[in-house]
Amino acid sequence: MKTRITYLISLMMTMVVLSACNNDDFPDISEDLKDNSVVIKSLSTTISKDTDLSYQTWWNGYESNYECFRSFDELENSPYASILNELPNVDWKKQTLVIAYIYDNYIFDEEGCNVYSKSDKYTIEYKLCPSFATAHDCKGIAIVLNKPNIKKKNVNFKVSIYGQDYEY
């Protein structure tokens, strides 16, 4: 009997630990959770892939990077400082700036970018369309979230191509 109780307690503790590690805290892509108050702007200035950015490969050699900026000082001292004049206005006391670059050969449209929020977590949906281009290009987007001090760990990107989703 004592062994069964110990086993049951161990099983319950394992379930608690596993549920705490669950990534389902990020909002689903749902009209109910869509945040229409954000500012989304395509960036025309490309940043060379050789710039000191830590790109993450997410599919067939396509790479991406995103960062959250909580102050002008953070932004000014980053590799993104070269595009300051192209970024939307940010009220740093009330907002956070997210900048993302995707290195691929697809077409991006601002209409294909949506933000979904739940509590302090954000899912950013980034839709790419097929292109006849053979060369890879670097596309950027700036997103102003209407909450200050959002950390990168609270932002999840979901890239969609041909109806397939890739998260990073």
Side-chain angles (χ1 to χ4, degrees):
M1 182 72 173
K2 192 174 185 181
T3 305
R4 285 185 180 176
I5 292 174
T6 304
Y7 176 74
L8 184 59
I9 291 173
S10 297
L11 181 63
M12 289 173 55
M13 294 299 288
T14 302
M15 290 174 64
V16 168
V17 169
L18 290 176
S19 66
C21 296
N22 194 347
N23 195 20
D24 289 341
D25 292 331
F26 286 102
D28 293 327
I29 293 178
S30 160
E31 286 299 314
D32 297 339
L33 299 174
K34 190 172 181 180
D35 188 344
N36 293 316
S37 68
V38 300
V39 175
I40 299 171
K41 182 180 181 200
S42 291
L43 303 173
S44 59
T45 305
T46 61
I47 291 183
S48 168
K49 190 167 177 297
D50 298 328
T51 304
D52 186 25
L53 298 176
S54 54
Y55 282 93
Q56 178 179 348
T57 300
W58 51 272
W59 181 64
N60 273 354
Y62 298 141
E63 297 177 296
S64 57
N65 169 278
Y66 75 96
E67 291 296 331
C68 295
F69 295 97
R70 298 172 300 222
S71 72
F72 183 75
D73 289 341
E74 274 185 2
L75 179 60
E76 194 174 41
N77 294 312
S78 76
Y80 297 103
S82 62
I83 60 168
L84 284 175
N85 62 339
E86 194 176 347
L87 297 173
N89 293 328
V90 179
D91 181 347
W92 297 106
K93 292 179 182 172
K94 298 178 183 175
Q95 299 172 318
T96 301
L97 176 66
V98 178
I99 299 176
Y101 273 91
I102 292 188
Y103 187 74
D104 61 28
N105 63 343
Y106 288 91
I107 298 171
F108 170 74
D109 181 7
E110 279 180 35
E111 305 280 325
C113 185
N114 294 297
V115 177
Y116 304 89
S117 62
K118 184 170 101 180
S119 300
D120 288 336
K121 301 273 187 168
Y122 293 83
T123 295
I124 299 174
E125 178 187 36
Y126 196 98
K127 292 182 183 175
L128 298 171
C129 302
S131 156
F132 293 108
T134 55
H136 283 57
D137 189 16
C138 196
K139 294 158 208 64
I141 188 162
I143 302 163
V144 180
L145 303 175
N146 287 311
K147 194 171 260 193
N149 300 316
I150 296 170
K151 296 179 179 160
K152 186 174 180 173
K153 69 179 183 177
N154 293 330
V155 176
N156 183 39
F157 263 81
K158 186 173 271 190
V159 179
S160 297
I161 305 174
Y162 300 118
Q164 294 180 323
D165 294 335
Y166 304 93
E167 292 187 45
Y168 66 95

